Amino acid sequence: MEIINRATRMVSVARDLRADGKIIGLVPTMGALHEGHLALMSQAREMCDTVIASVFVNPTQFAAHEDLAHYPRDLARDAELAFTRNVDYIFAPTPDDVYPNGYKTYINVETISERLEGAARPGHFRGVATVVNKLFNIVHPHFAFFGRKDAQQVILIKRMVKDLVMDVEIVVGPTVREEDGLALSSRNVYLSTDERKAATVLRRALEKCRSLYHGGERDSGRLLNAMRAIIEAEPLARLDYLAITDTTNLEAVTTVPYVSPTLVSMAVFFGKTRLIDNIVLNGEI
Ligand code: AMP
């Protein structure tokens, strides 16, 4: 495994691999790797000849008040973990290499980037779309792997790829969870012991929604109320948003349709730590 820090070198390595006929898989991450990331790397390993994992805490997707400075960073540990999944290259550029002085170009995926996470975190998806676009330009992968845990990110990137006719196939991996249902996240380390226990409330609320849905409930208002009641019963949890939407434009739906996939998503604060989770009813994203 080789660690590459410079975009120019990554471009030439990836170009040579492609010229050799290798199928290239890219797994973009912000590091602080956990089983959610590693499962994507294993999936890439199965599907591709060469696996490239990027580790880059992308400053443009953080708002000024967010946790950019504190975001956990440990490249040596990340490299050890990636090595266990037979990753071939880690691409870990510096912020200056990705956004050199005078940098001016950003990607905006309209509407999708303004809703849900985008409404709560203005500018976030502009940063995500821009960095993913750059990573695709640098690596030019055949396949790129993303987790369903960040469902809106998947929907946004698929839209960008389609709209801009980008030559890459997006592969979506399932959400990896702790035994008690909490979705793995690099931000879980911020939780106190009590907050960690309380954090199962996201999963509990989503499972309630799923079971009501399977019991025949289709009314979004009633599904939302049932989930809200579970979250409000947890004193350490503070709901940021909770929504039932379509998976194309993330438009709220009043009735869960029978035929098309429907995203149930939420963000919940525990102290300063903000966690997200989702399920998709009636199909896949
Ligand atoms: P991040 O480092 O948080 O930007 O995440 C990098 C990639 O890992 C994204 O595609 C995420 O959706 C994915 N990911 C993060 N957590 C999980 C999880 N618990 N299960 C599956 N994929 C995940």
Side-chain angles (χ1 to χ4, degrees):
M1 190 175 77
E2 182 185 339
I3 299 178
I4 294 179
N5 298 117
R6 305 289 306 174
T8 46
R9 168 144 175 83
M10 190 71 254
V11 168
S12 78
V13 167
R15 188 193 287 135
D16 290 350
L17 288 163
R18 201 171 243 266
D20 277 354
K22 303 286 191 226
I23 299 296
I24 302 172
L26 172 68
V27 184
T29 82
M30 298 205 300
L33 299 183
H34 53 62
E35 191 54 40
H37 305 110
L38 299 176
L40 293 173
M41 292 174 198
S42 294
Q43 203 178 352
R45 183 72 280 164
E46 276 176 25
M47 292 175 62
C48 306
D49 300 317
T50 304
V51 178
I52 302 172
S54 61
V55 174
F56 179 59
V57 183
N58 176 35
T60 62
Q61 70 188 67
F62 288 77
H65 64 278
E66 290 181 344
D67 56 345
L68 173 64
H70 304 288
Y71 199 84
R73 291 168 172 87
D74 188 345
L75 186 60
R77 177 181 171 277
D78 289 342
E80 273 178 30
L81 288 170
F83 184 74
T84 66
R85 301 304 161 105
N86 288 319
V87 166
D88 298 295
Y89 296 92
I90 289 190
F91 176 47
T94 61
D96 284 349
D97 200 25
V98 178
Y99 302 108
N101 250 342
Y103 189 86
K104 287 279 183 283
T105 308
Y106 294 89
I107 298 278
N108 180 34
V109 183
E110 290 182 1
T111 313
I112 295 172
S113 65
E114 289 140 30
R115 296 189 163 152
L116 307 177
E117 280 299 283
R121 305 181 65 190
H124 171 68
F125 285 116
R126 174 183 184 257
V128 169
T130 300
V131 80
V132 169
N133 189 309
K134 271 203 92 152
L135 289 169
F136 287 177
N137 286 338
I138 292 165
V139 173
H140 198 177
H142 297 81
F143 296 97
F145 297 80
F146 294 88
R148 194 179 301 146
K149 192 215 155 209
D150 298 278
Q152 186 173 4
Q153 174 169 279
V154 167
I155 291 165
L156 175 112
I157 288 164
K158 283 189 166 179
R159 185 80 249 167
M160 172 179 82
V161 165
K162 195 165 187 208
D163 285 354
L164 298 180
V165 202
M166 298 170 85
D167 182 25
V168 56
E169 189 169 321
I170 304 303
V171 182
V172 185
T175 300
V176 179
R177 298 176 180 281
E178 301 278 8
E179 237 162 59
D180 64 4
L182 177 66
L184 297 192
S185 164
S186 307
R187 291 188 166 100
N188 292 350
V189 297
Y190 300 149
L191 298 168
S192 69
T193 311
D194 288 344
E195 288 168 347
R196 169 64 189 81
K197 282 186 200 140
T200 57
V201 76
L202 288 92
R203 174 65 165 177
R204 283 188 274 126
L206 290 168
E207 283 310 312
K208 178 71 179 176
C209 178
R210 196 198 296 278
S211 75
L212 288 172
Y213 171 78
H214 285 313
E217 183 61 82
R218 292 291 181 275
D219 181 76
S220 293
R222 283 197 287 269
L223 292 169
L224 290 167
N225 282 342
M227 288 189 284
R228 207 174 285 122
I230 290 174
I231 294 159
E232 283 171 0
E234 177 47 71
L236 293 180
R238 183 167 59 80
L239 184 60
D240 191 11
Y241 71 81
L242 173 61
I244 303 182
T245 63
D246 68 46
T247 58
T248 316
N249 292 318
L250 304 173
E251 191 94 52
V253 297
T254 50
T255 307
V256 180
Y258 281 93
V259 281
S260 37
T262 300
L263 177 68
V264 183
S265 60
M266 65 172 76
V268 180
F269 277 102
F270 300 87
K272 284 187 190 151
T273 307
R274 185 172 176 283
L275 302 181
I276 59 171
D277 203 347
N278 69 81
I279 53 171
V280 183
L281 300 173
N282 221 353
E284 267 314 325
I285 49 170

Coordinates of all heavy atoms in Angstrom, one line a residue, residues 44-111:
A44 N -15.3 -2.5 -2.5 CA -14.5 -2.0 -3.6 C -13.5 -3.1 -4.0 O -13.2 -3.4 -5.1 CB -13.8 -0.7 -3.2
R45 N -12.9 -3.7 -2.9 CA -11.9 -4.8 -3.2 C -12.4 -5.9 -4.0 O -11.8 -6.5 -4.9 CB -11.4 -5.3 -1.8 CG -10.3 -6.3 -1.8 CD -8.9 -5.7 -2.2 NE -8.8 -5.6 -3.6 CZ -7.8 -4.9 -4.2 NH1 -7.0 -4.2 -3.6 NH2 -7.8 -4.8 -5.5
E46 N -13.7 -6.3 -3.7 CA -14.4 -7.4 -4.4 C -14.6 -7.0 -5.9 O -14.6 -7.8 -6.8 CB -15.7 -7.8 -3.8 CG -15.5 -8.7 -2.6 CD -16.8 -9.0 -1.9 OE1 -17.8 -8.9 -2.5 OE2 -16.7 -9.3 -0.7
M47 N -14.9 -5.7 -6.1 CA -15.4 -5.3 -7.4 C -14.3 -4.8 -8.4 O -14.5 -4.7 -9.6 CB -16.5 -4.3 -7.3 CG -17.8 -4.8 -6.7 SD -19.0 -3.4 -6.5 CE -19.3 -2.9 -8.1
C48 N -13.2 -4.4 -7.8 CA -12.2 -3.6 -8.6 C -10.8 -4.3 -8.5 O -10.5 -5.0 -7.6 CB -12.1 -2.2 -8.0 SG -13.7 -1.4 -7.9
D49 N -9.9 -3.9 -9.5 CA -8.6 -4.4 -9.5 C -7.7 -3.6 -8.5 O -6.8 -4.1 -7.9 CB -7.9 -4.3 -10.9 CG -8.7 -5.1 -11.9 OD1 -9.0 -6.3 -11.5 OD2 -9.0 -4.6 -13.0
T50 N -8.0 -2.3 -8.5 CA -7.2 -1.4 -7.7 C -8.2 -0.5 -6.8 O -9.1 0.0 -7.3 CB -6.4 -0.4 -8.6 OG1 -5.6 -1.1 -9.5 CG2 -5.5 0.5 -7.7
V51 N -7.9 -0.5 -5.5 CA -8.7 0.2 -4.6 C -7.9 1.4 -4.1 O -6.8 1.3 -3.5 CB -9.2 -0.6 -3.4 CG1 -10.0 0.2 -2.4 CG2 -10.0 -1.8 -3.9
I52 N -8.5 2.6 -4.2 CA -7.9 3.9 -3.7 C -8.9 4.4 -2.7 O -10.1 4.6 -3.0 CB -7.7 4.9 -4.9 CG1 -6.8 4.3 -6.0 CG2 -7.2 6.2 -4.4 CD1 -6.7 5.1 -7.2
A53 N -8.4 4.7 -1.5 CA -9.2 5.3 -0.5 C -8.7 6.7 -0.3 O -7.5 6.9 -0.1 CB -9.2 4.5 0.8
S54 N -9.6 7.7 -0.3 CA -9.1 9.0 0.0 C -9.4 9.4 1.4 O -10.4 9.0 2.0 CB -9.7 10.1 -1.0 OG -11.1 10.1 -0.9
V55 N -8.5 10.1 2.0 CA -8.6 10.5 3.4 C -8.4 12.0 3.4 O -7.2 12.5 3.2 CB -7.6 9.9 4.4 CG1 -7.7 10.5 5.8 CG2 -7.9 8.3 4.4
F56 N -9.5 12.8 3.5 CA -9.3 14.3 3.4 C -10.5 14.9 4.2 O -11.6 14.7 3.8 CB -9.4 14.7 1.9 CG -9.3 16.2 1.7 CD1 -8.1 16.9 2.2 CD2 -10.3 16.9 1.1 CE1 -8.0 18.2 2.0 CE2 -10.2 18.3 0.9 CZ -9.0 18.9 1.4
V57 N -10.1 15.6 5.2 CA -11.1 16.4 6.0 C -11.3 17.7 5.2 O -10.5 18.6 5.2 CB -10.7 16.6 7.4 CG1 -11.8 17.3 8.2 CG2 -10.3 15.3 8.1
N58 N -12.4 17.7 4.5 CA -12.7 18.7 3.5 C -13.2 20.0 4.1 O -14.3 20.1 4.5 CB -13.7 18.2 2.5 CG -14.1 19.2 1.4 OD1 -13.3 20.0 1.0 ND2 -15.4 19.2 1.0
P59 N -12.3 21.0 4.1 CA -12.8 22.2 4.9 C -14.0 22.9 4.3 O -14.8 23.5 5.1 CB -11.5 23.2 4.8 CG -10.6 22.6 3.7 CD -11.0 21.2 3.6
T60 N -14.2 22.8 3.0 CA -15.3 23.6 2.4 C -16.7 23.0 2.7 O -17.7 23.6 2.5 CB -15.2 23.7 0.9 OG1 -15.2 22.3 0.3 CG2 -13.9 24.3 0.4
Q61 N -16.7 21.8 3.3 CA -18.1 21.3 3.7 C -18.4 21.5 5.2 O -19.4 21.1 5.7 CB -18.2 19.8 3.3 CG -17.4 18.8 4.2 CD -17.4 17.4 3.6 OE1 -16.9 17.2 2.5 NE2 -18.0 16.5 4.3
F62 N -17.5 22.2 5.9 CA -17.8 22.6 7.3 C -18.1 24.1 7.3 O -17.5 24.9 6.7 CB -16.5 22.4 8.1 CG -16.2 21.0 8.4 CD1 -15.6 20.2 7.4 CD2 -16.4 20.4 9.6 CE1 -15.2 18.8 7.7 CE2 -16.1 19.1 9.9 CZ -15.5 18.3 8.9
A63 N -19.2 24.4 8.1 CA -19.5 25.8 8.4 C -18.5 26.3 9.4 O -17.9 25.5 10.1 CB -20.9 26.0 8.8
A64 N -18.4 27.7 9.6 CA -17.4 28.3 10.5 C -17.6 27.8 11.9 O -16.6 27.6 12.6 CB -17.6 29.8 10.4
H65 N -18.8 27.5 12.4 CA -19.0 27.1 13.7 C -18.9 25.6 13.9 O -19.1 25.1 15.1 CB -20.4 27.6 14.2 CG -21.5 26.9 13.5 ND1 -21.9 27.4 12.2 CD2 -22.3 25.8 13.7 CE1 -22.9 26.6 11.8 NE2 -23.1 25.6 12.7
E66 N -18.7 24.9 12.9 CA -18.7 23.4 13.0 C -17.3 22.9 13.4 O -16.4 23.6 13.8 CB -19.2 22.8 11.7 CG -20.6 23.0 11.4 CD -21.2 22.4 10.2 OE1 -20.4 22.0 9.3 OE2 -22.4 22.4 10.0
D67 N -17.2 21.5 13.4 CA -16.1 20.9 14.2 C -14.8 20.6 13.3 O -14.1 19.7 13.6 CB -16.6 19.6 14.8 CG -17.2 18.6 13.8 OD1 -17.5 19.1 12.6 OD2 -17.4 17.4 14.1
L68 N -14.6 21.4 12.3 CA -13.4 21.2 11.4 C -12.1 21.1 12.2 O -11.4 20.1 12.0 CB -13.3 22.3 10.4 CG -12.0 22.3 9.5 CD1 -12.0 21.1 8.6 CD2 -12.0 23.6 8.6
A69 N -11.9 22.0 13.1 CA -10.6 22.0 13.8 C -10.5 20.8 14.7 O -9.4 20.3 15.0 CB -10.5 23.3 14.7
H70 N -11.6 20.3 15.2 CA -11.6 19.2 16.2 C -11.8 17.8 15.6 O -11.7 16.8 16.3 CB -12.6 19.4 17.3 CG -12.5 20.7 18.0 ND1 -11.5 21.0 18.9 CD2 -13.2 21.9 17.9 CE1 -11.6 22.2 19.3 NE2 -12.6 22.8 18.7
Y71 N -12.1 17.8 14.3 CA -12.5 16.5 13.6 C -11.3 15.6 13.8 O -10.2 15.9 13.6 CB -12.8 16.8 12.2 CG -13.6 15.6 11.6 CD1 -14.9 15.6 11.6 CD2 -12.9 14.6 10.9 CE1 -15.7 14.5 11.1 CE2 -13.6 13.5 10.4 CZ -15.0 13.5 10.5 OH -15.7 12.4 10.0
P72 N -11.6 14.3 14.3 CA -10.5 13.4 14.6 C -9.6 13.1 13.4 O -10.1 12.7 12.3 CB -11.2 12.1 15.1 CG -12.7 12.3 14.7 CD -12.9 13.7 14.5
R73 N -8.3 13.2 13.5 CA -7.4 13.0 12.4 C -6.3 12.1 12.9 O -5.6 12.4 13.9 CB -6.7 14.3 11.9 CG -7.7 15.2 11.2 CD -7.0 16.6 11.1 NE -7.7 17.5 10.2 CZ -8.7 18.3 10.7 NH1 -9.0 18.3 11.9 NH2 -9.2 19.2 9.8
D74 N -6.0 10.9 12.3 CA -4.9 10.0 12.6 C -4.6 9.2 11.4 O -5.1 8.1 11.2 CB -5.3 9.2 13.8 CG -4.2 8.3 14.3 OD1 -3.1 8.2 13.6 OD2 -4.3 7.8 15.5
L75 N -3.8 9.8 10.5 CA -3.5 9.1 9.2 C -2.8 7.7 9.4 O -3.1 6.8 8.7 CB -2.7 10.0 8.3 CG -2.5 9.5 6.9 CD1 -3.9 9.2 6.2 CD2 -1.7 10.4 6.0
A76 N -1.9 7.7 10.4 CA -1.2 6.4 10.6 C -2.2 5.3 11.0 O -2.1 4.2 10.4 CB -0.1 6.6 11.7
R77 N -3.1 5.6 11.8 CA -4.1 4.6 12.2 C -5.0 4.3 11.0 O -5.3 3.1 10.8 CB -5.0 5.1 13.4 CG -6.1 4.2 13.8 CD -6.9 4.8 15.0 NE -8.1 4.0 15.2 CZ -9.2 4.1 14.5 NH1 -9.4 5.0 13.6 NH2 -10.2 3.3 14.9
D78 N -5.4 5.3 10.3 CA -6.3 5.0 9.1 C -5.6 4.1 8.1 O -6.2 3.2 7.5 CB -6.6 6.4 8.4 CG -7.6 7.2 9.3 OD1 -8.3 6.6 10.2 OD2 -7.7 8.4 9.0
A79 N -4.3 4.4 7.9 CA -3.5 3.6 7.0 C -3.4 2.1 7.4 O -3.6 1.2 6.6 CB -2.1 4.2 6.8
E80 N -3.2 1.9 8.7 CA -3.2 0.5 9.2 C -4.5 -0.2 9.0 O -4.6 -1.3 8.6 CB -2.9 0.5 10.7 CG -1.5 0.6 11.1 CD -1.3 0.6 12.6 OE1 -2.1 0.1 13.4 OE2 -0.3 1.2 13.0
L81 N -5.6 0.5 9.2 CA -6.9 -0.1 9.0 C -7.2 -0.4 7.5 O -7.7 -1.4 7.2 CB -8.0 0.8 9.6 CG -8.1 0.9 11.1 CD1 -9.0 2.0 11.6 CD2 -8.5 -0.5 11.7
A82 N -6.9 0.6 6.7 CA -7.1 0.4 5.3 C -6.3 -0.7 4.7 O -6.7 -1.5 3.9 CB -6.8 1.7 4.5
F83 N -5.1 -0.9 5.3 CA -4.2 -2.0 4.9 C -4.8 -3.3 5.2 O -4.7 -4.3 4.4 CB -2.9 -1.9 5.7 CG -1.8 -2.9 5.3 CD1 -1.1 -2.8 4.1 CD2 -1.5 -3.9 6.2 CE1 -0.2 -3.7 3.8 CE2 -0.6 -4.9 5.8 CZ 0.1 -4.8 4.6
T84 N -5.6 -3.4 6.3 CA -6.3 -4.7 6.6 C -7.3 -5.1 5.6 O -7.7 -6.2 5.5 CB -6.9 -4.7 8.0 OG1 -8.0 -3.8 8.0 CG2 -6.0 -4.3 9.1
R85 N -7.8 -4.1 4.8 CA -8.8 -4.4 3.7 C -8.1 -4.4 2.3 O -8.8 -4.3 1.3 CB -9.9 -3.4 3.8 CG -10.6 -3.3 5.1 CD -11.2 -4.7 5.5 NE -11.5 -4.7 6.9 CZ -12.7 -4.7 7.4 NH1 -13.8 -4.6 6.6 NH2 -12.9 -4.7 8.7
N86 N -6.8 -4.5 2.3 CA -6.1 -4.6 1.0 C -6.3 -3.5 0.1 O -6.4 -3.6 -1.1 CB -6.5 -5.9 0.3 CG -5.9 -7.1 1.0 OD1 -4.8 -7.1 1.4 ND2 -6.7 -8.2 1.1
V87 N -6.4 -2.3 0.7 CA -6.4 -1.1 -0.1 C -5.1 -0.9 -0.8 O -4.0 -1.1 -0.1 CB -6.8 0.1 0.8 CG1 -6.6 1.5 0.1 CG2 -8.3 0.0 1.2
D88 N -5.0 -0.4 -2.0 CA -3.8 -0.3 -2.7 C -3.1 1.1 -2.5 O -1.9 1.2 -2.4 CB -4.0 -0.5 -4.2 CG -4.5 -1.9 -4.5 OD1 -3.7 -2.9 -4.2 OD2 -5.7 -2.0 -4.9
Y89 N -4.0 2.1 -2.5 CA -3.4 3.5 -2.3 C -4.3 4.3 -1.4 O -5.5 4.2 -1.4 CB -3.4 4.2 -3.6 CG -2.5 3.6 -4.7 CD1 -3.0 2.7 -5.6 CD2 -1.2 4.0 -4.8 CE1 -2.2 2.1 -6.6 CE2 -0.3 3.4 -5.7 CZ -0.9 2.5 -6.6 OH 0.0 1.9 -7.6
I90 N -3.7 5.0 -0.5 CA -4.4 6.1 0.2 C -4.0 7.4 -0.4 O -2.8 7.7 -0.5 CB -4.0 6.0 1.7 CG1 -4.6 4.8 2.3 CG2 -4.6 7.3 2.4 CD1 -4.5 4.7 3.8
F91 N -5.0 8.2 -0.7 CA -4.8 9.5 -1.3 C -5.2 10.5 -0.1 O -6.3 10.6 0.2 CB -5.6 9.7 -2.5 CG -5.5 11.1 -3.1 CD1 -4.3 11.7 -3.2 CD2 -6.6 11.8 -3.5 CE1 -4.1 13.0 -3.7 CE2 -6.5 13.1 -4.0 CZ -5.3 13.7 -4.1
A92 N -4.2 11.1 0.4 CA -4.4 12.0 1.6 C -3.8 13.4 1.3 O -2.7 13.7 1.7 CB -3.8 11.4 2.8
P93 N -4.4 14.2 0.4 CA -3.9 15.5 0.1 C -4.0 16.5 1.2 O -4.8 16.3 2.1 CB -4.7 15.9 -1.1 CG -6.1 15.3 -0.8 CD -5.8 14.0 -0.1
T94 N -3.2 17.6 1.1 CA -3.4 18.7 2.1 C -4.5 19.6 1.6 O -4.8 19.7 0.4 CB -2.1 19.5 2.2 OG1 -1.8 20.0 0.9 CG2 -0.9 18.6 2.7
P95 N -5.1 20.4 2.5 CA -6.1 21.4 2.0 C -5.5 22.3 1.0 O -6.2 22.7 0.0 CB -6.4 22.1 3.3 CG -6.1 21.1 4.4 CD -5.0 20.3 3.9
D96 N -4.2 22.7 1.1 CA -3.6 23.6 0.1 C -3.5 23.0 -1.3 O -3.5 23.7 -2.3 CB -2.2 24.1 0.6 CG -2.3 25.1 1.7 OD1 -3.4 25.6 1.9 OD2 -1.2 25.3 2.3
D97 N -3.3 21.7 -1.3 CA -3.2 21.0 -2.6 C -4.6 20.9 -3.3 O -4.7 21.1 -4.5 CB -2.7 19.6 -2.3 CG -2.1 19.0 -3.6 OD1 -1.6 19.8 -4.5 OD2 -2.0 17.8 -3.7
V98 N -5.6 20.8 -2.5 CA -7.0 20.7 -3.0 C -7.5 22.1 -3.3 O -8.2 22.3 -4.4 CB -7.9 19.9 -2.1 CG1 -9.3 19.8 -2.7 CG2 -7.4 18.5 -1.8
Y99 N -7.3 23.0 -2.5 CA -7.8 24.4 -2.6 C -6.6 25.4 -2.6 O -6.4 26.1 -1.6 CB -8.8 24.7 -1.5 CG -10.0 23.8 -1.5 CD1 -10.1 22.9 -0.4 CD2 -10.9 23.8 -2.5 CE1 -11.2 22.0 -0.4 CE2 -12.0 23.0 -2.4 CZ -12.1 22.1 -1.4 OH -13.2 21.2 -1.3
P100 N -5.8 25.4 -3.7 CA -4.6 26.3 -3.7 C -5.1 27.8 -3.7 O -6.2 28.0 -4.0 CB -3.9 25.9 -4.9 CG -4.8 25.2 -5.8 CD -5.9 24.6 -4.9
N101 N -4.2 28.6 -3.3 CA -4.5 30.1 -3.4 C -5.1 30.4 -4.7 O -4.7 30.0 -5.8 CB -3.1 30.9 -3.3 CG -3.1 31.6 -2.0 OD1 -4.1 31.7 -1.3 ND2 -1.9 32.0 -1.6
G102 N -6.2 31.2 -4.6 CA -6.9 31.6 -5.9 C -7.9 30.7 -6.3 O -8.5 30.9 -7.4
Y103 N -8.2 29.6 -5.6 CA -9.2 28.6 -6.0 C -10.6 29.3 -6.1 O -11.0 30.0 -5.2 CB -9.3 27.5 -4.9 CG -10.1 26.3 -5.4 CD1 -9.6 25.3 -6.2 CD2 -11.5 26.3 -5.2 CE1 -10.4 24.3 -6.7 CE2 -12.3 25.3 -5.7 CZ -11.7 24.3 -6.4 OH -12.6 23.3 -6.9
K104 N -11.3 29.0 -7.2 CA -12.5 29.7 -7.5 C -13.7 28.8 -7.8 O -14.9 29.4 -8.0 CB -12.3 30.7 -8.6 CG -11.5 31.9 -8.3 CD -12.3 33.0 -7.6 CE -11.5 34.2 -7.4 NZ -10.6 34.0 -6.2
T105 N -13.6 27.5 -8.1 CA -14.6 26.8 -8.8 C -15.4 25.9 -7.8 O -14.7 25.0 -7.1 CB -14.0 26.0 -9.9 OG1 -13.2 26.9 -10.7 CG2 -15.1 25.3 -10.8
Y106 N -16.7 26.0 -7.8 CA -17.5 25.1 -6.9 C -18.7 24.6 -7.7 O -19.2 25.1 -8.6 CB -18.0 26.0 -5.7 CG -16.9 26.4 -4.8 CD1 -16.2 27.6 -5.1 CD2 -16.5 25.6 -3.8 CE1 -15.2 28.0 -4.3 CE2 -15.4 26.0 -3.0 CZ -14.8 27.2 -3.2 OH -13.7 27.6 -2.5
I107 N -19.1 23.4 -7.2 CA -20.3 22.7 -7.8 C -21.5 22.9 -6.9 O -21.4 22.7 -5.7 CB -20.0 21.2 -8.0 CG1 -18.8 21.0 -8.8 CG2 -21.2 20.5 -8.5 CD1 -19.1 21.0 -10.3
N108 N -22.6 23.3 -7.5 CA -23.9 23.4 -6.8 C -24.9 22.6 -7.4 O -25.3 22.8 -8.6 CB -24.3 24.9 -6.8 CG -25.6 25.1 -6.0 OD1 -25.8 24.3 -5.0 ND2 -26.5 26.0 -6.5
V109 N -25.4 21.6 -6.7 CA -26.5 20.7 -7.1 C -27.8 21.4 -6.5 O -28.0 21.3 -5.3 CB -26.3 19.3 -6.7 CG1 -27.5 18.4 -7.2 CG2 -25.0 18.7 -7.1
E110 N -28.5 22.1 -7.4 CA -29.6 22.9 -6.9 C -30.7 22.0 -6.2 O -30.8 20.8 -6.4 CB -30.3 23.6 -8.1 CG -29.4 24.7 -8.6 CD -30.0 25.5 -9.7 OE1 -31.2 25.2 -10.1 OE2 -29.4 26.4 -10.2
T111 N -31.5 22.6 -5.3 CA -32.6 22.0 -4.6 C -32.1 21.0 -3.6 O -32.3 21.1 -2.4 CB -33.7 21.5 -5.5 OG1 -33.9 22.4 -6.5 CG2 -35.0 21.2 -4.8

